[in-house]
Amino acid sequence: MQFMLLFSRQGKLRLQKWYISLSDKEKKKITRELVQTILARKPKMCNFLEWRDLKIVYKRYASLYFCCAIEDQENELITLEIIHRYVELLDKYFGSVCELDIIFNFEKAYFILDEFLLGGEVQETSKKNVLKAIEQADLLQEYFHIMAL
Amino acid sequence: MALKMVKGSIDRMFDKNLQDLVRGIRNHKEDEAKYISQCIDEIKQELKQDNIAVKANAVCKLTYLQMLGYDISWAAFNIIEVMSASKFTFKRIGYLAASQCFHEGTDVIMLTTNQIRKDLSSPSQYDTGVALTGLSCFVTPDLARDLANDIMTLMSHTKPYIRKKAVLIMYKVFLKYPESLRPAFPRLKEKLEDPDPGVQSAAVNVICELARRNPKNYLSLAPLFFKLMTSSTNNWVLIKIIKLFGALTPLEPRLGKKLIEPLTNLIHSTSAMSLLYECVNTVIAVLISLSSGMPNHSASIQLCVQKLRILIEDSDQNLKYLGLLAMSKILRTHPKSVQAHKDLVLQCLDDKDESIRLRALDLLYGMVSKKNLVEIVKKLMSHVDKAEGTTYRDELLTKIIDICSQCNYQHITNFQWYISVLVELTRLEGTRHGHLIAAQMLDVAIRVKAIRKFAVSQMSALLDSAHLVASSTQRNGICEVLYAAAWICGEFSEHLQEPHQTLEAMLRPKVTTLPGHIQAVYVQNVVKLYASILQQKEQAAEPEAAQEVTQLMVDRLPQFVQSADLEVQERASCILQLVKHIQKLQAKDVPVAEEVSALFAGELNPVAPKAQKKVPVPEGLDLDAWINEPPSDSESEDEKPKAIFHDEEQRQAKQRQPEADEEELARRREARKQEQANNPFYIKSSPSPQKRYQDVPGVEHIPVVQIDLSVPLKVPGMPMSDQYVKLEEERRHRQRLERDKKRKKKKDKDKKGKPRRHGSLHTESDDDLAPAQQVDIVTEEMPENALPSDEDDKDPNDPYRALDIDLDKPLADSEKLPVQKHRNAETSKSPEKEDVPVVEKKVKKPKKKDKKHREKEREKKEKGKEARVEKEGEDLDFWLSTTPLPAAAPAPEEPGVNAVITAPKEEDEEPQREEQGDEEDDEDNERDPEKKSSKHKKKKHKKEKEERSKDKKKSKKKKPPGDEAAEPVENGALDEEPLPVRAHVQLLPPGREFLH
């Protein structure tokens, strides 16, 4: 996977994770272009599109669009599954996650993503293990907080 | 007092955490930019504080602002400070910020090396984890080089949590520092058999990614992966492995044969669409690689096509899309199997989703044959009329042209029909592709000699029709076809029925509204037309009529002379003068037609687009050699003027030199002439180059066409391609009748005299369908001794090329990864590194060395390659020739359960089962009976496995002792309990999920 973007129906970026090295300018350009293209698509259309030499896989969950860019040979369906899995993880973590959760706790959303994917590859296919790792890390964080006070 | 103030300000600062910032931004919608710049000022203040908590908070806010598009690169150093905080809470934030905004150009990144190393070796697995995660986003070549050894060590960490991260990040390290691949690969390979399924799957991931780019180096791993494939039940892993095999099979067809069976079994048994899709794709790849040697795989193709048909018929748009996509891959090698599903593809043309319609169009390309071309194009034409939105209509237009023109118009039996289609397409308003239609018209008219008469008649009608000219005012691309029409009418004016009328049409005042380049063609071709009219009139001895035409030219040409377009203006004024001169001659009753026609004598032949490139460089010619002596470097600009006055003698000597060598010159001239004579691209000075051209041996085969017309040449009025459908049917009917007669007479089975054009797709229907006209296409000309090699150059900038490394060669000492010691020694030389960013230069030096080293390495590799290939070949040969391996005997019915890979104890089973549990969970309402049965079977097999596990104990002993005891967390995670079915998932829409 080359990158993952989360954005709202209004086109506001909510999360971005780049697994390739690009300049900020290029990233912004790509983001703008993709957000426009995807928002313009009709709801009944399929979730894939060809873009430059990449394939874009996106899916809308409530008011949020999850969008991944994969290379030509990668599997679109498994990418959809990755998106879905990530949504499930967010949902488990936040409990009925909504867009606001991701806005206000965006760093948590990143932490979860980082436990699930690493360098654009699936790191952990077990949902339980991902959540466990996050919980443990959070515990550690809490612990330090308590120590600090 | 002061202390209180400081404390107070800290409190105030602390008040605005991330949540406050987000809320603030949402509350300041109208002056967001102003509010944020205020916030950034505050953040800058916070970053100046000594309190790490305040700093971390500030960095966290910055990370959020970075996502909104604000530049935070100025805070890079602060981010590093937060990264090096001792507390995990802050470290986590620091690494997150770094992973979001650091990139290879960030110069402070080199300051992080030691900090990252420290974190990697931290006793807390979460410190290590967070460092690895961060590193995966911003690893640079320098970081990769310096940390490769540390990360490699982590691949054998006691905790699987670290191992899997380390394994995955190795891929990024390889990309940035290819030298690390060879030393690290043995350990990576080991991880394929790691007891932890997560680590195992990570290793599969990395090796698959590596192998996908440079498959040949990984061929020797095929047996191992085959074992994994037949034993794993984790779909994520299976998909990767199957994809890997897809990359390997083109290199080793025997592997493909071996794969077909387990893959088809998977296709039959799996309920996961993603896996099914991957299997089908790989089977297609296998079949493509086998297509030459193995004829009897039609069952597999049929299976794929059937499965794809199910996907395409599915109501899920995604499956439909992918089904069509995969179909188009089969189409390339097995067109017949796909053609059977023409109905389905045509149906998809009516889908409401444009992306699906476009995929279906792609498929049509390969589905046409001589038999159905007319019918399919007719259908597409009706779509053109219906299509909303110009993009899709333009796409249709290009597809029609693609379909018809493919393989040198292989499927067109009746070019009159095709010209009519093209003419019909010109009624499209607002298309961008007028030039495409024009190019086709030109191409057909030039290359199909038999059609010229018809083409000219249609083109003159186009020139006459007002709508095209009128459309030019709307900035409409369609007027481009007039370019072709004018040229064709001019060039082949001898075929015109009423040249005078066409001439008038081309000289209408309206023409001046056309774009310049079209007008220019008009002007030029008006003269051609004029020339042929003159000739006609003179031959008919009608000098007055000839003078009239001249007068018409003189009257109308000035409108072009006034054109703002330089090209038009120049041509027009030239020609106007010429015509005026002719007029004078005509007044004296001098016959001029002959001479005017001579202006355009000869015929234009198409030249292949690559012809120029293919002209072989003559022997002995070195294009890179200097023609003159290269200017010496020492000669500076000051000296040059001196040289002019330097000494007169020298210059005179130079002038004299050629004279002295008269003989030599003559010899050279002779040689040059000789060469020019052999060069088809050199315009020769002989009086009629065209005639001479005909003598070139390569052109003889261009046939003069005999037409046997069964279709009336001129279709009255605007052409309608539909008329041809009927005529064509009648013709075919007649043909069929004739053939039946012949068959009764048991005559020889025809086809000998039939012209055959090159093409890859020959279908049955092609063979029993003779074209309406004996049409031959003038082939494009190529230089005589050009080689037909079509090497597609690989992208030299491909980052994966550096990873094309031989992995089987034993490791040399020089290749070992730089170890920490070495690095420490270096850092001890610059102890103040953290504070002095100038060290950058120092760090970069070794990089250059490394490059040299890399090159050397590559040389070495080349040498060692041959030896390796043989050795590898032996092992593989053995594996490929011995049919089922004892360990991985692929039982035909149930591939998923038969073999065991590693430590076949319960813990290993669990996550796999959990995988399934998850899936069930995802899709509770669509439970699959297949799954239950497979689960059942699994339990049976568990016993078998336990028996075998004794044998496998050996491999287990490799594991570091105390591994399991040391990781209560991970093992806890493996304790499986059925996942509760979610009551509701707010974000999840209803509908199907994809692993099923």
Side-chain angles (χ1 to χ4, degrees), chain B residues 10-69:
Chain B
I10 288 177
D11 284 343
R12 187 174 53 78
M13 296 293 187
F14 247 129
D15 273 346
K16 199 179 238 164
N17 58 17
L18 177 68
Q19 273 75 21
D20 299 323
L21 174 78
V22 175
R23 214 166 284 137
I25 292 173
R26 291 168 74 84
N27 290 337
H28 289 77
K29 284 228 166 84
E30 47 311 316
D31 55 344
E32 195 183 289
K34 196 180 151 205
Y35 178 76
I36 287 177
S37 75
Q38 226 172 46
C39 290
I40 289 181
D41 286 343
E42 281 171 23
I43 289 170
K44 281 183 178 160
Q45 288 305 311
E46 287 168 23
L47 288 175
K48 281 180 191 153
Q49 310 249 339
D50 280 333
N51 189 327
I52 191 73
V54 178
K55 270 187 187 167
N57 184 49
V59 165
C60 187
K61 287 192 277 184
L62 279 180
T63 315
Y64 184 79
L65 293 177
Q66 193 260 351
M67 184 166 64
L68 297 186

Side-chain angles (χ1 to χ4, degrees), chain B residues 625-666:
Chain B
W626 285 92
I627 297 171
N628 300 312
E629 279 304 300
S632 65
D633 291 339
S634 60
E635 192 177 305
S636 73
E637 279 173 44
D638 307 338
E639 289 167 26
K640 267 183 190 166
K642 253 190 231 163
I644 294 177
F645 308 102
H646 196 43
D647 59 3
E648 203 75 356
E649 255 178 77
Q650 212 177 16
R651 265 210 289 171
Q652 281 170 351
K654 264 183 195 165
Q655 282 174 348
R656 238 176 282 136
Q657 208 177 13
E659 287 166 31
D661 245 342
E662 194 75 31
E663 255 179 58
E664 167 70 12
L665 257 189

